[in-house]
């Protein structure tokens, strides 16, 4: 069953060609202590830690005592646009989806993944930079609510309700269609994604880092 | 008495009712081709007696010898014994005849190596009429072979209409691997660690590295830092029964509470009763505070 679940949740990917030597990208804004502190402030001290067992509260204390440690460890990864393979280790907890008549197929389970908290700090910094770049270039749909700070499903519901009522007022017939792409995020093609964001004007170090993050 | 078995259970296990010619004792023999719960046993028995009493609390319809047999395989005894005893209900006041009533059962259980599963003070019977105090008269015992696989005893389900509430006993393979020690991050020795962290030097990242070289640098420097943090953090070795929120202060409070309760029972004076009551309130408030502190820790203030 372990192997079946692993293949379902982590489908094997095409082996990527080995990267040549990594070179620092041009015009990458240097990482600042404020960025690290902001990323840490968004992390809950009670979140379950990943494989190394270090909680966010400990990283907060380390950063408070000596801010240069996290800065010196994270800055090269941002400058080189690379997500280290050593940060990709994770701890997965398999949970039963409630109310299933039989638990014989992988779709009856969900997996709760815990990554290294250190890796998550880097992800928050990158996410903040990616969000700024996407907003500057107008890449976000005005009604986008997913993974954006300050917005949630509640806002998405309100937006939909508002659209429906606006159209109903002049007595128009309104219907909604919802589309769910099965395993959509698991099957994103790295090259296609990189091409789209590059064409959108996202800085190369962020594109390179996103590709590196999604590689096997 | 009736026993219900889920059909899915019968596809893997053989379940045979067991009567033994006694009106008040029912049982189930549960067996399987494979060894059960990671033990060498292929079967175990559940003995379920209903013991009624007559002449006050003195004569019971089911005798101790029937309940705690010396069997080679695992028996589990779940019973409505209609006896009260201080192990399962420590706060109850016992009459002399009640004490003489439970003694033979618990002596026989001890002789046969049976352990009581019912936690102290967990009420299982709530009178539907009158003002009778809730009581613990549904007791569960397991012999040493089965005790290792008893995972939990719970009385959390609502009543099904009876004055007795349903009891759930979960059996599962014992974990052979001891849980790894868990760092107690809240107790990190900051006084010693902070100067070391202040002087901690991250080795310079290689310039123009290959991905494996950068991975190696990241892993090595991160592991060095993690090892340093763990070195100055005490660890606890949790068992299946340990409570992560328990503190040494609660141990003291519990000791004082039991001491005061025993003293109040021995010297039944208003002062002793008041002391026992105060220590009880202090103990349970201490548990509540420790749980709150553990599960809802205050957010640290960021500078």
């Amino acid at each position: 069953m372990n192997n079946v679940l692993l293949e379902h949740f982590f489908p094997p990917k095409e082996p990527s060609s080995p990267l040549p030597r990594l070179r620092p990208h041009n015009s990458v804004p240097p990482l600042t202590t404020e960025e690290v502190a902001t990323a840490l402030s968004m992390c809950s001290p009670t979140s379950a830690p990943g494989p190394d067992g270090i909680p966010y509260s400990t990283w907060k204390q380390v950063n408070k005592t000596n801010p240069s440690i996290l800065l010196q460890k994270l800055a090269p990864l941002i400058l080189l646009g690379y997500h280290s393979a050593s940060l990709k280790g994770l701890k997965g907890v398999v949970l039963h989806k409630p109310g299933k008549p039989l638990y014989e197929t992988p779709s009856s389970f969900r997996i709760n993944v815990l990554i290294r908290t250190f890796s998550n700090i880097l992800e928050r910094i990158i996410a903040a930079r990616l969000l700024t770049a996407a907003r500057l270039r107008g890449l976000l749909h005005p009604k986008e609510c997913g993974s954006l700070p300050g917005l949630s499903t509640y806002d998405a519901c309100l937006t939909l309700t508002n659209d429906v009522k606006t159209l109903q007022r002049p007595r128009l017939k309104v219907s909604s269609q919802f589309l769910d792409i099965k395993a959509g995020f698991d099957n994103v093609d790295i090259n296609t994604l990189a091409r789209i964001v590059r064409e959108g004007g996202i800085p190369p170090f962020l594109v390179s880092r996103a590709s590196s993050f999604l590689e096997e | 008495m009736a026993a219900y078995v889920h059909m899915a259970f019968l596809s893997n296990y053989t379940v045979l009712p067991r009567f033994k010619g006694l009106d008040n004792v029912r049982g189930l023999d549960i067996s399987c081709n494979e060894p059960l719960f990671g033990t060498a046993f292929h079967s175990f028995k559940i003995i379920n007696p209903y013991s009624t009493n007559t002449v006050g609390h003195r004569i019971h319809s089911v005798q101790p010898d029937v309940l705690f047999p010396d069997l080679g395989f695992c028996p589990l005894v779940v019973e409505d014994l209609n006896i009260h005893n201080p192990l399962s209900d420590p706060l109850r006041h016992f009459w002399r005849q009640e004490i003489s009533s439970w003694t033979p059962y618990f002596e026989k259980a001890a002789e046969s190596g049976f352990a009581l599963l019912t936690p102290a003070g967990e009420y299982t019977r709530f009178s539907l009429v009158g003002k009778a105090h809730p009581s613990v008269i549904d007791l569960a015992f397991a012999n040493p072979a089965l005790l290792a696989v008893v995972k939990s005893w719970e009385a959390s389900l609502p009543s099904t209409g009876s004055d007795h509430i349903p009891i759930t006993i979960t059996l599962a393979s014992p974990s052979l691997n001891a849980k790894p020690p868990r760092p107690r991050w809240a107790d990190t020795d900051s006084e010693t660690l902070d100067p070391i962290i202040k002087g901690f030097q991250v080795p310079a990242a290689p310039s123009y590295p290959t991905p494996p070289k950068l991975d190696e640098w990241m892993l090595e420097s991160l592991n060095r830092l993690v090892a340093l943090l763990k070195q100055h953090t005490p660890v606890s070795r949790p068992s299946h029964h340990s409570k992560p929120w328990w503190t040494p202060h609660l141990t003291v409070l519990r000791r004082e509470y039991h001491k005061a309760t025993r003293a109040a029972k021995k010297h039944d004076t208003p002062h002793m009763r008041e002391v026992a009551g105060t220590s009880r309130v202090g103990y349970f408030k201490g548990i509540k505070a420790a749980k709150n502190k553990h599960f809802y820790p205050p957010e640290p203030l960021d500078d």
Side-chain angles (χ1 to χ4, degrees):
Chain A
M1 192 66 179
N2 279 350
N3 291 334
V4 176
L5 288 174
L6 275 173
E7 276 187 23
H8 178 78
F9 289 115
F10 305 99
K13 291 178 183 171
E14 293 273 324
S16 53
S17 54
L19 284 170
R21 282 185 184 276
L22 300 164
R23 291 181 182 280
H25 288 267
N26 294 326
S27 63
V28 179
L31 182 67
T32 61
T33 49
E34 288 75 25
E35 268 184 291
V36 178
T38 308
L40 275 170
S41 69
M42 290 188 290
C43 301
S44 165
T46 54
S47 286
D52 60 5
I54 310 285
Y56 289 113
S57 54
T58 301
W59 289 126
K60 286 182 183 184
Q61 188 58 37
V62 167
N63 196 51
K64 195 173 159 187
T65 313
N66 185 353
S68 70
I69 294 178
L70 293 187
L71 199 67
Q72 287 172 15
K73 288 185 73 58
L74 295 170
L77 298 176
I78 293 176
L79 190 67
L80 296 165
Y82 179 69
H83 187 75
S84 175
S86 55
L87 297 180
K88 287 184 179 176
L90 53 87
K91 190 160 75 175
V93 184
V94 179
L95 304 170
H96 291 68
K97 285 182 185 172
K100 297 277 178 184
L102 284 172
Y103 290 90
E104 291 177 347
T105 57
S107 57
S108 309
F109 300 89
R110 75 173 77 250
I111 188 162
N112 205 352
V113 169
L114 303 170
I115 60 171
R116 281 177 184 259
T117 42
F118 184 82
S119 173
N120 222 1
I121 298 165
L122 176 63
E123 280 181 40
R124 284 185 187 274
I125 293 167
I126 294 291
R129 289 194 173 197
L130 197 57
L131 177 64
T132 311
R135 277 190 173 150
L136 276 173
R137 287 156 184 83
L139 298 179
L140 294 175
H141 190 276
K143 290 178 182 174
E144 171 66 45
C145 294
S147 304
L148 293 178
L151 295 173
S152 64
T153 315
Y154 183 75
D155 299 283
C157 293
L158 276 182
T159 308
L160 177 67
T161 312
N162 180 58
D163 287 352
V164 170
K165 289 196 171 171
T166 307
L167 290 168
Q168 278 177 335
R169 205 164 292 129
R171 297 188 181 279
L172 291 170
K173 296 283 183 193
V174 185
S175 65
S176 303
Q177 191 170 17
F178 296 91
L179 183 66
D180 182 18
I181 301 171
K182 191 179 178 187
F185 286 109
D186 300 337
N187 293 298
V188 167
D189 181 66
I190 301 171
N191 295 325
T192 312
L193 176 72
R195 183 177 50 77
I196 292 170
V197 290
R198 202 178 293 121
E199 285 170 6
I202 296 293
F205 79 95
L206 287 174
V207 180
S208 167
R209 201 263 169 195
S211 302
S212 167
F213 180 76
L214 290 170
E215 271 165 8
E216 192 69 5
Chain B
M1 281 186 283
Y4 294 89
V5 182
H6 196 281
M7 289 300 286
F9 190 79
L10 292 174
S11 60
N12 293 316
Y13 300 90
T14 306
V15 181
L16 292 173
R18 200 167 179 264
F19 297 105
K20 235 187 162 184
L22 296 168
D23 286 342
N24 290 339
V25 182
R26 293 286 182 272
L28 294 174
D29 283 358
I30 299 166
S31 55
C32 180
N33 287 334
E34 302 293 323
L36 291 163
F37 311 118
T39 65
F41 301 106
H42 287 256
S43 68
F44 71 100
K45 294 180 189 302
I46 297 173
I47 304 167
N48 191 13
Y50 173 49
S51 183
T52 52
N53 51 23
T54 51
V55 195
H57 289 274
R58 276 173 287 171
I59 301 172
H60 286 259
S61 60
V62 180
Q63 296 307 305
D65 290 346
V66 179
L67 295 178
F68 306 108
D70 297 319
L71 295 174
F73 35 62
C74 318
L76 175 75
V77 180
V78 186
E79 50 194 314
D80 176 1
L81 260 187
N82 272 315
I83 60 170
H84 303 275
N85 79 93
L87 277 176
S88 57
D89 196 356
L91 296 179
R92 184 183 173 89
H93 175 78
F94 290 90
W95 302 103
R96 190 177 297 163
Q97 60 267 38
E98 285 181 329
I99 294 170
S100 60
S101 157
W102 60 257
T103 304
Y105 290 90
F106 278 76
E107 280 180 355
K108 177 61 186 167
E111 277 172 24
S112 306
F114 279 79
L116 181 66
L117 301 178
T118 314
E122 289 272 359
Y123 296 120
T124 60
R125 181 186 177 268
F126 297 85
S127 177
L128 299 175
V129 289
K131 291 179 181 175
H133 193 268
S135 58
V136 193
I137 54 174
D138 303 284
L139 305 176
F141 295 85
N143 76 349
L146 196 66
L147 191 61
V149 303
V150 175
K151 196 177 172 192
S152 65
W153 179 105
E154 281 180 43
S156 52
L157 295 170
S159 169
T160 55
S162 162
D163 52 348
H164 297 258
I165 56 170
I167 295 167
T168 312
I169 296 172
T170 310
L171 307 178
S173 298
S175 173
L176 298 176
N177 301 323
K179 285 187 180 177
R182 187 177 55 202
R184 300 204 310 265
W185 294 108
D187 301 327
T188 300
D189 183 7
S190 312
E191 282 185 20
T192 318
L193 184 63
D194 282 359
I196 301 171
I197 290 290
K198 270 183 188 158
F200 188 87
Q201 294 290 328
V202 178
S207 50
Y208 300 105
T210 57
K213 203 77 182 160
L214 192 65
D215 292 341
E216 194 186 321
W217 166 79
M218 170 54 73
L219 192 64
E220 203 179 305
S221 56
L222 192 59
N223 284 350
R224 223 181 94 212
L225 182 59
V226 167
L228 184 66
L229 296 170
K230 286 186 174 173
Q231 194 187 332
H232 290 85
T233 305
V235 292
S236 60
R237 292 184 176 276
S239 75
H240 289 298
H241 308 289
S242 67
K243 296 173 176 65
W245 43 266
W246 192 265
T247 63
H249 179 58
L250 285 176
T251 307
V252 176
L253 288 178
R254 182 179 59 186
R255 194 185 304 132
E256 291 304 315
Y257 159 52
H258 287 301
K259 198 171 150 186
T261 309
R262 277 196 304 274
K265 277 183 185 170
K266 199 171 177 184
H267 314 286
D268 192 10
T269 62
H271 172 67
M272 296 302 256
R273 280 201 297 274
E274 193 186 332
V275 171
T278 311
S279 60
R280 185 178 189 278
V281 169
Y283 173 52
F284 285 106
K285 274 192 174 175
I287 288 177
K288 200 175 171 184
K291 280 183 177 177
N292 277 335
K293 194 178 171 188
H294 178 80
F295 293 111
Y296 310 103
E299 287 276 336
L301 295 172
D302 291 326
D303 290 338

